[in-house]
Structure formats: structure tokens, C-alpha cells
Amino acid sequence: MHGRVRVIPESTYDDPLVARLDQHIELSAADIALLGSVIDASVTISKRRDVVVDGYEFRKLYFIKDGFAARYRLLPNGKRQIINLLVPGDIIGVPSSFLDRANFSVTALTEMKVQACLLDAFVDLCYRHPKFGLALSWLAVEEATNYAERIVDIGRRTSIERLARFLIEMHSRLFVSGRATADGFDLPFSQEVMSDALGLSVPHLNRMFAQLRMDGLISLQDRHVKFCDIVVIQEFTHFHPRRLMRIPARRKPIIEKPEPKRPCKVRAAR
Amino acid sequence: MHGRVRVIPESTYDDPLVARLDQHIELSAADIALLGSVIDASVTISKRRDVVVDGYEFRKLYFIKDGFAARYRLLPNGKRQIINLLVPGDIIGVPSSFLDRANFSVTALTEMKVQACLLDAFVDLCYRHPKFGLALSWLAVEEATNYAERIVDIGRRTSIERLARFLIEMHSRLFVSGRATADGFDLPFSQEVMSDALGLSVPHLNRMFAQLRMDGLISLQDRHVKFCDIVVIQEFTHFHPRRLMRIPARRKPIIEKPEPKRPCKVRAAR
DNA sequence: CGTCTCATTGAGTTCTGTCAATCTAAGTGG
DNA sequence: CCACTTAGATTGACAGAACTCAATGAGACG
């Protein structure tokens, strides 16, 4: 593909699972070994393949090493809404794997490479090592937070703001894994995909792209997005990313089981 | 208020935290006692009070015993998007408490009664008893799932479908805590609140209400919603709730540390 | 050289928001 | 008890946003 930029910084872990959890909690060498033990296999998924299918059970976690995917719902009227787009470092299986039957599908937009583990194996690990249960909570909270942002975007922002924010956000996400430069990146998605993510029609999305160019905010050439002035567009979109707190370390485990504590005051109330 | 129905079934726990976790995992008497020990206090919040404020740190979990709230974001242009509406049994603090600074506000739409605990205390409990870490994960996943449904609603459903689905969903949520009858319920929300939740304007929401009545799907009188035929409206909205799986029980804890396992195949790949 | 996917553009229509006015019920203070 | 205020629901007229349908390009690929 023309213009593809791919700068993998040396600091990036080769292991997407470890890299992701490392953002939330301290991981010792022993922890990393434990994580390795629950990883089942390295799997390659071909383009256009549905990894998770709405209505069917899925009980795995896939940590994306390479490639792109979309979590989506297909409606009876044929329309599609993409919940979110998945890039390297993201996880397939949260929240799908936690439901009796998945309520969304996940489809590979490109060929993908993932690390796979069984949900049961991960849950088992959480029982043995509570820090991983907390890490899982943090991952799920992160997912919820991202979805909430999308609700605000689609519900109350103009279509051009939505698109501009989408581009800024995608740039920031791709930059983390070295798939973007300081002021631009190659869009891995077609306009159809983006319009389904933003709740717009393809022609309208296209017009909004044209307008962003007209307004001198971006340039676009063969799917390569370049921000003319990244500060200007950040202000235009009111882009203020919020970060999750890190998981508090375990307090000194006082012998093993003190449990004297004060009684629950709540029962008395009411 | 006219027509208010309030039937609390005997099976409902008085303790919203226990009731909520019980949906996801087996709780022994000892577990329930543990939960009691992390509850700090029973708190009353007055109407219109902002419990969580966008941009400020919040590090608590509030389990709603009574009353209604809205999680929302206010945009620079003055528009408001409600992420979700909170009813008794819901939790304030997921995801807000997990961020450096909250990225949404939560406001009390009515006077509320909540059980409060500090996030640190709950995290500490998770370290000591891993099942609660898993329970926390499940709560966060549930939150993410609900948000995802809202994305689909706002992104790709017509305004009348959105409203109809909102009513059906709210009925089902209120029914759980005995705040609805088999075919109707009292709406605890103004049309302004509902329009901000559904990403519509107040006049348009009002027109959609009128149309639902015209179409003979609901009747509405002093905020009391009655479904003329609940099956018909369920089909109209394609309402198919999906449930979370229950958290798998711990497997027999094999001595303590076997960890022989096979080595991680992933490292080899690539 | 077809075929396919994807991007782009135009014309017309529908949906939905904005603005403004009216109406009702519920308080509130005198 | 009444005039006044306020919150919320309702309605109408109008403008603008966004969709649908349809056609045209442009590049990739076999």
C-alpha cells in the first residue's frame, strides 16, 4: 500500500497481552510467566472472517498482535452499527465471552494475528492470583469508558466533529503501537467501515471528509491522513483523553486472615 | 404521584450490593459478611445533587438502594448526552472511580439512598478474595454491554424504535426491583432526561410518544406507561435481552503451585 | 480487458432540530 | 384563597442536516 508508515518503537512489547496489562498494573517476571502459561496458541485469522458471531457462544480471549477488526451488530433492517474498531493491542472477547451467547459479532477487517487463551483458563488464573482478576476488571472498565465516549459522539456531536474526533482518536491509538507518525497515519478502514462506526451514511461521511480538507484541518491522499496542525484539530474536537488510574498494589497482607473489622453499619440503617 | 405502583417482591434483598453480585456468582454467608465489612455507610443524596463531577477524582462505589440518577456528559456547546440512567440496584462509580479523574458526571434525578464503600477497600477485598475481583469484572462487563446496546440504538435505529426500546428496557429493569407491574410502570424521568438519553430533542421525543400512542402500542397518562400488548411492542423493537454467564466456580486448588504446564508457544511465533 | 472494491458527486426527499408559543399542574408567598 | 412562578408537556412552523438513490471515477487484480 502506498505511503504506509510503520515505525515499531523498540519499547513495544512483542507480547500484546503483557503490554496491555502492564499499563494497568505492575507485572513481575513471575507474573509474565503466568500469563504465558494461559496463552493457548498464536492464531492467524483471515480477512473478512467473523471471529465472534452474534448469538453464538464464544469463550475465548484474543489479544491482537497484528491486524484490524470491528465489533458490530447487524440489525433486522440490514443496517450495521460498529461498536468499536479493534487495533493491535486490543482484545477480542471482552465483553462477548462473558455472555451466554455473544450479543455482537467481531469481524476481521484485515488478516490478523492474535494470541488466544480460553476464558476459563484466565478465570482460573484470576482465582489463583487475584491481581489478574483486578486487571480483568480494569480492561472491562476501559472498554465501558470507550463505549461511553462513543455514545456521546453519536448522540450529541455534529457529524464533522465525530469524524474529526475519530481521526484524532485513531491516530493516538495507532501511535502507541508505532503505526502512526507524529502528525499522520494510514487509515486502515474503508469509508463504509468508518460510516458504520460513526452512525453516518457513506456519502455523508465522504462529504465531511471533503469539508475537513476544505477547512484545512487535514489532508488525505490514498487513505493517508495528515493533520495540518494537530493542535488546531485537537481544539476543534475538544480532545481530552482521560486515563485509567493504575491498579493499587496489594497492601501488606497482614498475616493471612484478620477480619476483625468493624461491623457493617448499613444493616442498621433503615 | 398519581398511579404510582410499587410492589417490592419478598425475594428482593434489602442489600443492593449483595443482590447485584448474587446474579453473577455464588455467595456464601461468609462472603456476604465480607461484603458488609467493606460497606462504609448508608448515604442519602438529595435531588439534583451531582454525585460525580466530570473532571474530578471520585474513588467510591455507591450501590443504589432507592432513587434514580443519570450518568452524563456536558459538551462545550451546552448539549448534554446521558450515557445511561441508573435505577435501584445499579452502581455509581463504575467506570468513574477507575479513572484518574471522572470523565462523566452523575446527577441524582430524585432523592437517593445508597450504600457507599471506598474503591480502595473493595480492591483490597479483591486481593484477599479473588472471587470479588471476578465479580467486579463482571459488573464492568455488564456496564460495557449496556453501553454497546445504546450505541446501536443511537447510531442506527429510528427515533421511534429508540423510544420504544427504551420503554421496554426500562420496564424490564424496574420490574426486577418491583417498581413495575406486568404491563406498565411509572416513568421516573422527564422528557428532557429521556431525550438526552436517546440523543433526540424534546419536541421530537414528544412527537414519538404521541405516535406510539397513535399506533396503539402504549398508553400514557401522567407519566404512567402501559403497554397495550407487550408482545407486539417486543416484536416491534426486536427486544432480545442477553444475559451474562455466571462466574465459573473455582476449580479444586490443586495443592498450591503446580505450574508445570506447557511453555508459552506464542513467544516462538513470529 | 473485464471485474471488483472503494471513493466521490449530485439531486431530491425525509427526518429532526430549533425556535417559539401555549397549556397544565404544582408550588409559593401574601 | 388568589395571583404569580416554575417545571414540564405539547404543538406548530420552519430550516437545516443527513439519508437514499443513482451515477461516475479510479485503482487493484486476475
Side-chain angles (χ1 to χ4, degrees), chain B residues 145-158:
Chain B
T145 300
N146 292 336
Y147 294 179
E149 292 291 344
R150 184 61 35 93
I151 291 172
V152 175
D153 278 349
I154 299 181
R156 287 299 187 214
R157 289 196 223 264
T158 66

Side-chain angles (χ1 to χ4, degrees), chain A:
Chain A
M1 183 175 293
H2 167 75
R4 164 68 58 130
V5 176
R6 183 168 295 227
V7 184
I8 309 277
E10 49 198 302
S11 63
T12 301
Y13 288 92
D14 186 42
D15 188 324
L17 167 56
V18 171
R20 182 64 172 269
L21 294 190
D22 188 56
Q23 291 170 14
H24 297 311
I25 198 166
E26 303 303 320
L27 292 175
S28 66
D31 292 332
I32 293 176
L34 281 169
L35 285 172
S37 74
V38 297
I39 298 291
D40 234 22
S42 196
V43 177
T44 296
I45 299 160
S46 56
K47 185 172 174 174
R48 281 170 218 280
R49 164 99 193 289
D50 267 9
V51 186
V52 180
V53 180
D54 190 354
Y56 291 84
E57 183 180 304
F58 184 80
R59 283 290 144 72
K60 293 189 278 278
L61 299 177
Y62 282 174
F63 303 92
I64 302 176
K65 183 177 273 189
D66 199 17
F68 299 91
R71 180 173 287 123
Y72 69 97
R73 163 80 60 76
L74 216 51
L75 296 180
N77 60 19
K79 293 183 179 185
R80 176 176 74 162
Q81 176 65 41
I82 290 178
I83 308 300
N84 63 349
L85 291 166
L86 305 174
V87 308
D90 288 337
I91 302 171
I92 298 175
V94 181
S96 315
S97 293
F98 297 80
L99 289 135
D100 274 339
R101 290 187 268 148
N103 51 357
F104 300 101
S105 301
V106 176
T107 193
L109 297 172
T110 63
E111 181 173 291
M112 307 184 72
K113 292 191 194 306
V114 305
Q115 287 179 353
C117 88
L118 299 177
L119 181 62
D120 279 348
F122 199 89
V123 167
D124 201 47
L125 177 66
C126 294
Y127 272 119
R128 285 181 286 126
H129 299 276
K131 67 161 32 179
F132 295 113
L134 283 167
L136 183 58
S137 302
W138 255 249
L139 292 176
V141 163
E142 193 173 20
E143 201 72 15
T145 299
N146 292 337
Y147 293 0
E149 292 290 344
R150 186 59 37 91
I151 291 171
V152 176
D153 278 349
I154 300 180
R156 287 297 187 218
R157 288 196 224 264
T158 65
S159 51
I160 193 154
E161 283 173 325
R162 264 182 258 180
L163 174 56
R165 288 178 60 87
F166 171 83
L167 294 176
I168 283 283
E169 182 205 319
M170 198 50 67
H171 172 256
S172 137
R173 289 171 65 189
L174 293 176
F175 190 77
V176 171
S177 61
R179 269 160 256 256
T181 59
D183 67 347
F185 64 103
D186 281 321
L187 260 178
F189 312 113
S190 71
Q191 294 195 356
E192 189 186 358
V193 165
M194 291 185 279
S195 66
D196 282 344
L198 298 175
L200 300 171
S201 65
V202 172
H204 196 61
L205 177 77
N206 189 285
R207 284 176 200 120
M208 294 304 101
F209 260 120
Q211 186 158 356
L212 282 180
R213 275 181 293 189
M214 282 259 299
D215 295 349
L217 290 173
I218 67 166
S219 67
L220 181 62
Q221 189 80 196
D222 292 330
R223 283 204 187 173
H224 182 82
V225 176
K226 183 172 172 302
F227 299 113
C228 300
D229 185 334
I230 204 156
V231 175
V232 168
I233 200 168
Q234 278 177 352
E235 292 192 357
F236 172 68
T237 58
H238 305 101
F239 185 67
H240 298 299
R242 290 269 159 72
R243 278 180 322 196
L244 289 181
M245 65 182 285
R246 283 182 70 83
I247 303 177
R250 182 170 199 163
R251 303 186 203 169
K252 43 196 166 197
I254 340 172
I255 317 301
E256 252 305 292
K257 294 220 171 190
E259 317 290 7
K261 300 277 172 168
R262 51 178 153 23
C264 171
K265 287 193 288 186
V266 178
R267 296 306 173 71
R270 207 252 150 114

